[in-house]
Amino acid sequence: SLGSMFSVSDSFDGNLFEVNNISGISLLNVSSSGDVDIPKGVLTVSGSVSASKFLGDGSQLTGISAGTNLTQSLFVSPSGNDGTAVVGDIAKPFSTILGATGSANIGDTIIVYPGTYTPASQIIKDHVNYYFHPGATVTGSIALMEGTFDNINVRGYGTFDVSGNTTGISVTANGHIEVDKFIIRGITTTNRKRMAFNGSGSGLLELKGTGIAEGNGVNSSELFSFGTGEVLADIQAFDNTTNGDVCIEVNGTGTKNINAYAVSKMGHAVFISTTQYPEAISLTGHFETQNQANKYAMFLSTGNGADIKIDAHIVGSIYSLNNNNHLTQIHGSQVCSASPSNDAAVSCYNGEHLLNHYVRCSTPTAYYLGDTNGQVTVTGTAQPEGQYKRLMDVQSGKFVWRGTSFNQPIRAESSKIEGTGTVIIDSPLFHYGVNYPLNEYAFYLNSADATLEINNKLEYNHDTTGSGIININAGRLVLDGAQIIHGGGTGSYAYAIKLNDKAHSGSIFNNSFTNLTPFGPGSFTNEIVGGGTLFETDKLS
């Protein structure tokens, strides 16, 4: 007989089971305690092994590599216990973030697992790392991150949900802050910052995540606010408040490089208002206001100057004021149907403005310039849409056209040059027009201190009776190598330059041509100098 191969005792006091050989000798005993008995000579690993007992807790096992060292990791879970938590033991987590923060040392990492946490005070410690798993939510009616830090490092996918009239995050720091969502509700105080970020010293603060503003809101409150220092941000900003908050504000010194998708339901998407000299501000992405009649997509106002560069898709109008002759550059594209002031898609004051973007607008005016110290250079493209649209309205300053425009069959309003404004046409301008109304002109020059200078081809395409090209009531006209062309030819009985029965002086004509009757009714005196004059020709059309 082979005998018993396996036997199970009736109680756990003895052996749990035995494995026997064919002669009935016990080969392996596993007791109820979990201990393993191996008789001498039956287990050979590179030679025979004497009889051994291995305790069930594994404490006598050898030759096994040690596990990962977790001594600098602290774990947080709603099922944990601050009183029994052990640093480095994933099986004994803390129950609160503040409990882990209090036990963390420099260089430690706090790992926050899914759950809802409501701390009684801000949660961040300097030089401690934080990682939030998806589903980890921090709530409260306090500032959840607040203070000045030498190095801050928050990463992962946490949600920070703040209720009440408070600033949810307010930090001055070097380092990195990354969240999945930051939600704030209930702001009622003007100039309240939802999240305020400042770089510290010569270091860099990096920011990533999505911000959402809910509730009533209030004017002049900001979802993201960037103050002093160097900041690099890659963010999404959604202002859903009913009173209209600002998605992104920049109001301090230092370089800011912000890539964003920002949409404000009722407020400005971007508000830059610096009273000190920042080094540079760079904005890329998508910026939109859904309240175009009352707010700007981009409100750029720098008290003591800033160099601003924008390369983005912009939905809504732009206001740009740049003091001390600093430069604002705008690249990308813009779509605009309404504007809070001047009825213009782009309104400029003071400083240098380079508009190298595509503007598609149904506002009454595409470009407005209203400051003696302002200069606008257009190298982009304008596409006014709808009836009775004006390309430019220049009240003061210098406006230089080096761009392109669409020749569209729409009813055009005359571009205005008034006050002390100067317009210089340096590239071909194909001015739009249609067959209504009568007596329309491409430009209306209406101030003794205003100047229109044309150094290239101006073609007007408004084909109605009495429609010439330039209506000069007062001001200075300079034509230097200009081609003043009526595109349709049906206005050939009108004047290229309407003088309004006045005697004008001080203008200059040099090597210029037109296919219309040059002047009338009225006269010029002391106006023709240089190597040529303005004369009628049908050879250029």
Side-chain angles (χ1 to χ4, degrees):
S1 172
L2 295 177
S4 175
M5 293 289 292
F6 297 94
S7 65
V8 180
S9 62
D10 294 334
S11 70
F12 291 106
D13 295 329
N15 292 335
L16 183 61
F17 65 86
E18 294 181 351
V19 179
N20 301 318
N21 63 11
I22 57 175
S23 61
I25 299 175
S26 177
L27 294 175
L28 181 65
N29 268 333
V30 182
S31 68
S32 59
S33 66
D35 298 344
V36 180
D37 289 315
I38 302 178
K40 180 179 180 180
V42 302
L43 178 64
T44 301
V45 180
S46 299
S48 63
V49 178
S50 300
S52 300
K53 173 179 285 190
F54 299 99
L55 299 181
D57 62 4
S59 61
Q60 292 185 352
L61 295 177
T62 60
I64 298 176
S65 298
T68 302
N69 185 349
L70 301 176
T71 55
Q72 284 193 288
S73 298
L74 297 87
F75 305 94
V76 182
S77 170
S79 61
N81 187 315
D82 285 354
T84 60
V86 176
V87 175
D89 192 342
I90 194 171
K92 295 181 179 180
F94 292 83
S95 62
T96 68
I97 300 173
L98 285 176
T101 296
S103 298
N105 296 313
I106 292 176
D108 286 354
T109 297
I110 296 175
I111 302 171
V112 183
Y113 284 89
T116 299
Y117 305 89
T118 307
S121 62
Q122 78 89 23
I123 63 174
I124 302 300
K125 180 182 281 189
D126 214 353
H127 291 282
V128 172
N129 309 305
Y130 293 79
Y131 180 83
F132 290 82
H133 278 277
T137 300
V138 186
T139 67
S141 56
I142 59 169
L144 300 177
M145 300 182 200
E146 184 177 41
T148 299
F149 303 91
D150 182 56
N151 186 273
I152 192 170
N153 189 19
V154 178
R155 297 178 185 266
Y157 305 91
T159 294
F160 293 80
D161 194 334
V162 180
S163 297
N165 192 37
T166 187
T167 298
I169 295 177
S170 179
V171 297
T172 299
N174 301 314
H176 187 100
I177 299 176
E178 178 182 3
V179 301
D180 185 25
K181 291 180 183 178
F182 180 89
I183 306 170
I184 190 156
R185 318 163 194 270
I187 291 293
T188 58
T189 302
T190 299
N191 294 323
R192 173 70 69 184
K193 318 296 183 185
R194 281 129 169 83
M195 292 183 286
F197 300 95
N198 300 281
S200 177
S202 60
L204 176 68
L205 177 61
E206 295 182 82
L207 175 67
K208 292 185 178 181
T210 297
I212 303 171
E214 302 285 359
N216 292 330
V218 65
N219 270 327
S220 301
S221 289
E222 299 83 24
L223 181 51
F224 286 92
S225 179
F226 299 101
T228 59
E230 315 296 310
V231 178
L232 176 62
D234 188 359
I235 57 178
Q236 296 81 44
F238 301 97
D239 166 42
N240 298 324
T241 60
T242 55
N243 287 324
D245 297 336
V246 175
C247 282
I248 297 170
E249 178 200 39
V250 180
N251 66 354
T253 61
T255 298
K256 307 293 187 297
N257 194 318
I258 302 169
N259 178 53
Y261 189 98
V263 179
S264 180
K265 181 178 179 181
M266 296 299 292
H268 304 305
V270 174
F271 188 91
I272 296 178
S273 180
T274 59
T275 57
Q276 304 176 59
Y277 173 70
E279 295 179 21
I281 300 170
S282 176
L283 298 168
T284 60
H286 176 102
F287 303 94
E288 175 181 351
T289 179
Q290 296 178 350
N291 184 15
Q292 294 189 31
N294 300 295
K295 298 293 181 178
Y296 294 95
M298 311 199 86
F299 186 95
L300 316 174
S301 176
T302 56
N304 285 325
D307 291 328
I308 302 173
K309 183 178 180 180
I310 297 166
D311 191 349
H313 181 60
I314 300 164
V315 181
S317 60
I318 299 171
Y319 175 98
S320 181
L321 182 149
N322 201 335
N323 283 326
N324 293 342
N325 296 319
H326 288 274
L327 175 64
T328 295
Q329 302 180 54
I330 302 178
H331 307 266
S333 58
Q334 179 186 3
V335 178
C336 182
S337 60
S339 177
S341 63
N342 305 317
D343 296 323
V346 185
S347 297
C348 297
Y349 304 82
N350 243 337
E352 306 285 334
H353 308 266
L354 174 61
L355 307 181
N356 188 37
H357 67 309
Y358 167 74
V359 180
R360 180 162 59 89
C361 60
S362 54
T363 51
T365 303
Y367 305 104
Y368 177 88
L369 177 58
D371 195 290
T372 303
N373 297 317
Q375 175 166 323
V376 171
T377 301
V378 175
T379 57
T381 301
Q383 183 180 353
E385 294 185 331
Q387 305 298 323
Y388 301 110
K389 306 306 177 187
R390 178 178 290 114
L391 183 62
M392 63 188 76
D393 182 351
V394 179
Q395 297 295 312
S396 59
K398 182 185 294 184
F399 187 99
V400 181
W401 175 265
R402 293 175 184 160
T404 58
S405 65
F406 283 83
N407 176 22
Q408 298 186 89
I410 58 176
R411 298 168 183 172
E413 290 282 347
S414 299
S415 288
K416 294 194 299 185
I417 310 169
E418 298 180 317
T420 58
T422 295
V423 171
I424 301 174
I425 308 298
D426 271 348
S427 66
L429 173 56
F430 297 91
H431 202 285
Y432 46 91
V434 76
N435 56 3
Y436 184 86
L438 307 179
N439 304 309
E440 281 289 341
Y441 285 76
F443 281 94
Y444 181 49
L445 191 58
N446 189 37
S447 172
D449 295 321
T451 300
L452 173 60
E453 178 179 333
I454 303 176
N455 305 316
N456 212 299
K457 181 176 182 177
L458 170 59
E459 180 179 303
Y460 188 39
N461 293 283
H462 194 75
D463 300 337
T464 63
T465 300
S467 293
I469 299 175
I470 301 166
N471 184 349
I472 176 169
N473 188 50
R476 181 168 177 259
L477 181 63
V478 178
L479 303 179
D480 189 2
Q483 301 174 35
I484 313 299
I485 306 301
H486 198 286
T490 58
S492 59
Y493 42 81
Y495 300 106
I497 302 171
K498 183 179 180 181
L499 301 177
N500 291 288
D501 292 314
K502 295 181 178 180
H504 300 269
S505 63
S507 296
I508 298 174
F509 310 123
N510 182 37
N511 289 330
S512 299
F513 306 90
T514 182
N515 65 343
L516 299 183
T517 302
F519 308 112
S523 63
F524 276 111
T525 59
N526 303 319
E527 79 286 350
I528 299 176
V529 298
T533 185
L534 177 68
F535 60 90
E536 183 175 1
T537 178
D538 58 2
K539 296 180 180 180
L540 299 173
S541 61

